[in-house]
Amino acid sequence: MSIMGTRVVRVEDPVFLTRGATYTDDLTDERLSGALHLTLVRSPIAHATITSIDVEAAREAPGVVAVLTGADIDLPAPLLFGGAPKQMVRPWLATERVRFVGEPVAAVLTEERYQGPDAAELVDVDYEPLPAVVDVREALKDENLLFPDAGTNTCSVYNKEDPDPDFFADCEVVVTREIINQRVAAASLETRAASAVWGDDGRCTLFVSNQNAQGARDEVAGWLGVDASQIHVILPDVGGGFGAKIGADPEFALVAWLARHTGRPVRWSESRSENMTGMVQGRDQRQTITIGGSRDGRVKAYRLDVIADAGAYPRLGVFLPVFTRMMAPGTYDIEKVDSRATVVVTNTTSTAAYRGAGRPEATSAIERAMDLFAAEIGMDPAEVRKINVVAPEKFPFTTKGGVEYDSGEYAKAIDLALEASDYATLREVQKARRERGDAKQIGIGVSSYVEITGGGAFVENASVEVHADGTALVWTGTSPHGQGHATAWAMLASEQLGIPVEKITVRHGDTDHVPEGGGTMGSRSLQTGGVAVHQASLELIDLAKQRAAEILEASVEDLEVDTTNAAIVVRGAPGSPTVTFAQLAEREELKVKTVWDGKKATFPFGSHVAVVEVDTETGKVTVERIWAVDDAGPVLNPLLCEGQRHGGIAQGIAQAMLEEVVFDPDGQPLTATFADYGFPSAAELPSFDLVTMETPTPINPLGFKGIGEAGTIGSAPAVQSAVVDALAHLGIRHIDMPTTPLRVWEAIQDAVKEDG
Amino acid sequence: MIPVGFEYARPDSVDGALALLAEHGDDATIMAGGHSLLPVMKLRLAAPELIVDIGRLRELNYIRVDGDEVAIGAGTRHHDVEVSDVLAAEVPLLPAVARTVGDPQVRHRGTLGGSLAHGDPASDLPAAVLALDATIVLRSPRGERTVPATEFWTGVFTTAKEPDELIVEIRVPRTGSAGWAYEKFTRRANDWAIVAVAVVDGRVGLVNMGSTPLRASATEAALAEGRSIADAAALAGEGTEPPTDTAGTPEYRRNLARVLTRRALETAAGR
Ligand SMILES: Cc1cc2nc3c(=O)[nH]c(=O)nc-3n(C[C@H](O)[C@H](O)[C@H](O)COP(=O)(O)OP(=O)(O)OC[C@H]3O[C@@H](n4cnc5c(N)ncnc54)[C@H](O)[C@@H]3O)c2cc1C
């Protein structure tokens, strides 16, 4: 019986549930014995000139081995995103100017961890405050520059062509609106951490919490100016990344540099407060959406203008509007699509990837546009969507966003979601409540989405080795941090080889064992790394057959795998001699390494229906139910897939109703603790209704697409739309995320005022 | 998130704790459940030199009927308040309020005395104690005195308690079958209140509507005059100066006070 599509229980959980994970900060590796502890002195001011830094008192504090400032570090300051103006480099430790609250200014190294914060308090930094640039429109004016040498706050412009004034000329109806896709924090429960030690061989062993060991190695090596072969990155267990742990943090290289400088191992692990200002944050786009079409529901033209906030030092966030533009038309077949994006720096934490990374911003924009259009022409929002989605016979479909959608049945996904939710009945319940004038109204939101997974990193490697004792070892270039690859990759190998999952070990995250690898991000792992394991297993069978042919005195063509016994047998000859993989491994190493190249991205899609209750007297939103159709092709393990969907949906709901990183006009963070930052607990979420739909991609032999981010992308617009829908009878057409009680209540007050 | 270094003492009696307070003055700080104190220490907003831990003093942990009142030891955990049969029968408001504090871990550590002494206007129990017209019993080497809840809180995080005094007991009038309700409005289940309203026997306590827990006196007066719940509740925001933060503006909080007061009074009337 095939193991594919079955609910194999996660093999990684027994350890997590008993002994617990070993995160970077938990390591007791003997290479790290005698390590110094790094404490960073961080700027309390968002924008200021540094007039002096006095470290003398700190040097005298108990346990202090060294206190360093930027002047002590002989490395060129790195440009963290290649495409940004070259002046926008981030100093290792700020010397002349600080540009966000939380920017490192001095490094304190102590014998014991607890001594660090006491000594750090004694570092005396004089700041002369500068006006803070917090709002992107303010940044665009270029009146206060973060990098005067650059002469501008703009770090990237995508599409410099002037908009065509006649773009919407043939549209009967045109609606436009500025909306905000707010900034959110990844808030991974494990904060950032790094430990470094240089060996006598002149190589650095670097333990970090990250989503891609190989990428982190290359970046750190580049920053340190050493060959990548000199850096050995090891990833211990990683307690959540959500995109924010893609790429190395400059702190990693600083830790490595300090270890070399002091000749001792150095450990660093940040506090929650540091994490909430120091770790990259996500989203943060100001969007202007304009949609036009005819009164019969056909959309003809759509324009998306984006101003994105890169934060103080340009990082991956500068690139993400490229994804937003790519995915701008969403699931819709729109004749004309136009988009542009400008990215600016501000005195805030840098931005980068966050679950969905650029694509949710596109989906939320087009979905709001569809709702606005539907409201304007007085048509049901689900109906408008179905009229405009790409028809199934058009695949592969090249969009006006310039990408090729591989496979999809968008209208069917919407229908499944509507059916599962009994949409018509929901509308009746809504009507009855409105007629009664209840204080608590319900709203129904429908989203249709398509996203891009495995975008940009199509290549992945895997090795599979069978041992003489019948066990197997798989090495992968992906980098699981909760996704369950140890289970899933074992299933893929087991399916072909017949070796039980319990006997297959999956390892990752060590650049000496796996020098290449794309890590885990962008929902790429199964369709690249998983397929590579599948391919490696097939190649291992080929190798085994060649060797078995000799032993069994049969021709290779006559051999097949007996998965019941993990053996090679002669086809159609029961009772004839066989040889197991283990026996073959006993004679000679039985191992293959392979590289899979998918060459293209895949495009999972789906549709969500959300029902919310809005208390019109208080503005409080409660998500009552959510039905999710998330089609990412065939499902390898429903348990893992549902887990990804659950987490994704939760994060999407959280963005829609709770989470927002807020800075005051001086650039002070107002949401830097878990008491203030609104991430949800189970109590804020309903049980999710998951609907199955599986449309394979032709891009890989197993038909897999990615599922990691889908839930987030589909749920946020559905919930936001539902909140607006609950208040549609008051004339409300839009409320920005997060739809907090305050914001919803204020929208109601405004609507009532306008009405009166 | 590492506090400044401190000395630690765990006296084995209230008298021992009082002696330490008298000896060390401002340098000493009482710790009960530690769930308000430790977070501020970890953020380095407080750096006491000596922690006097009263968390394990059993003599401060009791709930018993005493005449017309229920006497509650200051060291009683929120969880013990939550599940107390005595309180469920005699002062049902209090367990209901305790149940809304934080999460189970917090409720198993935090104490009633600690919550009142901390004096956070966003806390739940102070407003309930205020609405209950309770009295707070303070003890110092100079002796014991009682302060009515209405006079206990003097500003944000400040109270009528002297530095050498310990809250030893909270005396709550038995309300028995009088109507009561607690309406706590939060963004998330385990958050502090944006606003909350405690109602018992026609008295109304407000959470997070000013620098101290407050009584909605205009509402209470209107009720006493026999006006309707709707009319009385409409006055709940009167005379308040609620704070502004990311969760709410003063106008919004006044609105919440009115809505929650109305709902709480309606629930109380039906009990
Ligand atoms: C995650 C979290 C969520 C929370 N959520 C809520 C919530 O929703 N609602 C809410 O109301 N509270 C909440 N709290 C606060 C919690 O209820 C605290 O435990 C309580 O407010 C303080 O009680 P404590 O015993 O922990 O006091 P401690 O932290 O030990 O002390 C607090 C202060 O009171 C003083 N003190 C303590 N006991 C006495 C005494 N007997 N006499 C004199 N002074 C004393 C201390 O010196 C200190 O200054 C939360 C706390 C946490 C950590």
Side-chain angles (χ1 to χ4, degrees), chain A residues 118 617-618 620 679 684, chain B residues 44 186 188-189 252 262-263:
Chain A
D118 289 337
E617 290 183 310
T618 64
K620 176 132 178 169
F679 84 48
E684 282 69 55
Chain B
R44 294 190 165 227
T186 58
R188 299 172 297 181
Y252 179 57
R262 192 194 72 228
R263 291 179 183 176

Side-chain angles (χ1 to χ4, degrees), chain B residues 30 32-37 78 101-102 106 110-111 114 117 123-124 167 184 192:
Chain B
I30 293 286
H35 267 44
S36 290
L37 181 63
H78 305 327
V101 174
V106 172
T111 65
S123 287
D124 298 292
I167 302 180
K184 178 175 179 176
W192 263 269

Side-chain angles (χ1 to χ4, degrees), chain B residues 29-39 54 60 74-75 77-78 100-103 106 109-115 117-118 122-126 161 165-168 184 190-193:
Chain B
T29 297
I30 293 286
M31 180 172 84
H35 267 44
S36 290
L37 181 63
L38 293 179
I54 59 164
L60 288 178
R77 313 270 171 192
H78 305 327
T100 71
V101 174
D103 52 42
V106 172
R109 296 300 306 169
T111 65
L112 180 57
S115 182
H118 190 56
S123 287
D124 298 292
L125 289 157
K161 184 183 81 64
E165 281 179 320
L166 208 61
I167 302 180
V168 287
K184 178 175 179 176
N190 59 359
D191 272 336
W192 263 269

Side-chain angles (χ1 to χ4, degrees), chain B residues 37-117:
Chain B
L37 181 63
L38 293 179
V40 283
M41 286 171 64
K42 286 184 172 185
L43 290 168
R44 294 190 165 227
L45 299 172
E49 283 182 22
L50 173 67
I51 295 279
V52 179
D53 184 354
I54 59 164
R56 295 193 205 176
L57 293 182
R58 299 199 63 124
E59 57 180 303
L60 288 178
N61 197 341
Y62 56 85
I63 298 172
R64 60 176 168 252
V65 175
D66 187 0
D68 290 344
E69 296 174 320
V70 178
I72 308 172
T76 307
R77 313 270 171 192
H78 305 327
H79 172 77
D80 296 330
V81 171
E82 193 183 335
V83 300
S84 159
D85 292 338
V86 173
L87 288 173
E90 305 296 340
V91 196
L93 172 69
L94 216 46
V97 174
R99 193 165 302 130
T100 71
V101 174
D103 52 42
Q105 280 117 309
V106 172
R107 297 198 288 274
H108 277 83
R109 296 300 306 169
T111 65
L112 180 57
S115 182
L116 304 191

Side-chain angles (χ1 to χ4, degrees), chain B residues 205-232:
Chain B
L206 302 175
V207 174
N208 217 7
M209 287 297 292
S211 55
T212 63
L214 297 174
R215 287 274 284 269
S217 14
T219 299
E220 290 180 7
L223 287 172
E225 287 164 18
R227 289 172 60 191
S228 73
I229 283 178
D231 286 355

Side-chain angles (χ1 to χ4, degrees), chain A residues 149-445:
Chain A
D149 294 349
T152 176
N153 287 323
T154 297
C155 52
S156 209
V157 179
Y158 300 105
N159 185 6
K160 292 185 182 159
E161 265 174 47
D162 285 333
D164 170 7
D166 298 326
F167 196 70
F168 294 95
D170 60 347
C171 298
E172 258 180 285
V173 180
V174 180
V175 199
T176 187
R177 177 126 208 169
E178 181 171 308
I179 64 174
I180 292 174
N181 202 294
Q182 84 275 22
R183 180 183 290 226
V184 293
S188 55
L189 287 187
E190 185 206 11
T191 57
R192 294 176 302 160
S195 300
V197 56
W198 293 77
D200 296 334
D201 56 358
R203 294 182 77 220
C204 175
T205 306
L206 182 62
F207 303 88
V208 290
S209 179
N210 198 258
Q211 295 176 227
N212 178 11
Q214 297 79 11
R217 172 200 58 199
D218 294 347
E219 266 181 299
V220 169
W223 292 335
L224 293 178
V226 303
D227 195 82
S229 64
Q230 297 307 101
I231 308 283
H232 177 195
V233 168
I234 299 175
L235 305 183
D237 288 327
V238 173
F242 309 107
K245 291 179 182 170
I246 295 174
D249 271 303
E251 281 90 343
F252 295 178
L254 182 63
V255 168
W257 186 90
L258 289 167
R260 193 173 60 189
H261 180 74
T262 56
R264 287 177 64 176
V266 172
R267 304 185 75 136
W268 170 71
S269 160
E270 67 183 353
S271 68
R272 179 60 58 194
S273 306
E274 288 179 283
N275 178 265
M276 293 301 281
T277 54
M279 182 157 86
V280 287
Q281 299 172 340
R283 313 271 193 266
D284 210 338
Q285 291 190 0
R286 189 88 52 107
Q287 304 172 324
T288 306
I289 47 179
T290 312
I291 189 166
S294 47
R295 294 208 169 266
D296 60 1
R298 186 79 217 164
V299 174
K300 291 191 172 152
Y302 172 62
R303 173 177 286 154
L304 172 64
D305 293 295
V306 173
I307 310 171
D309 191 341
Y313 295 100
R315 293 186 68 169
L316 190 60
V318 182
F319 168 77
L320 297 178
V322 171
F323 276 150
T324 309
R325 292 187 62 221
M326 235 181 226
M327 298 310 294
T331 52
Y332 308 106
D333 190 354
I334 305 175
E335 222 172 281
K336 293 196 284 181
V337 177
D338 177 38
S339 71
R340 48 187 56 67
T342 302
V343 190
V344 295
V345 288
T346 62
N347 292 114
T348 62
T349 303
S350 295
T351 59
Y354 173 76
R355 209 164 191 166
R359 295 104 75 202
E361 294 89 321
T363 307
S364 283
I366 186 75
E367 290 303 282
R368 291 308 306 134
M370 281 290 163
D371 279 351
L372 291 172
F373 181 71
E376 191 66 28
I377 62 171
M379 193 180 267
D380 182 276
E383 195 51 40
V384 171
R385 284 172 169 81
K386 280 168 61 182
I387 292 174
N388 288 288
V389 290
V390 180
E393 60 274 11
K394 288 203 172 179
F395 289 87
F397 178 77
T398 303
T399 74
K400 293 292 180 320
V403 282
E404 189 188 285
Y405 291 171
D406 52 350
S407 60
E409 283 207 58
Y410 304 153
K412 184 175 156 196
I414 297 173
D415 278 334
L416 275 177
L418 295 179
E419 218 172 275
S421 62
D422 198 355
Y423 184 70
T425 307
L426 290 174
R427 286 283 172 214
E428 275 165 34
V429 175
Q430 178 180 51
K431 193 161 159 246
R433 285 218 200 176
R434 280 194 185 152
E435 279 166 6
R436 285 200 306 268
D438 287 2
K440 292 182 179 170
Q441 290 290 324
I442 68 160
I444 306 142

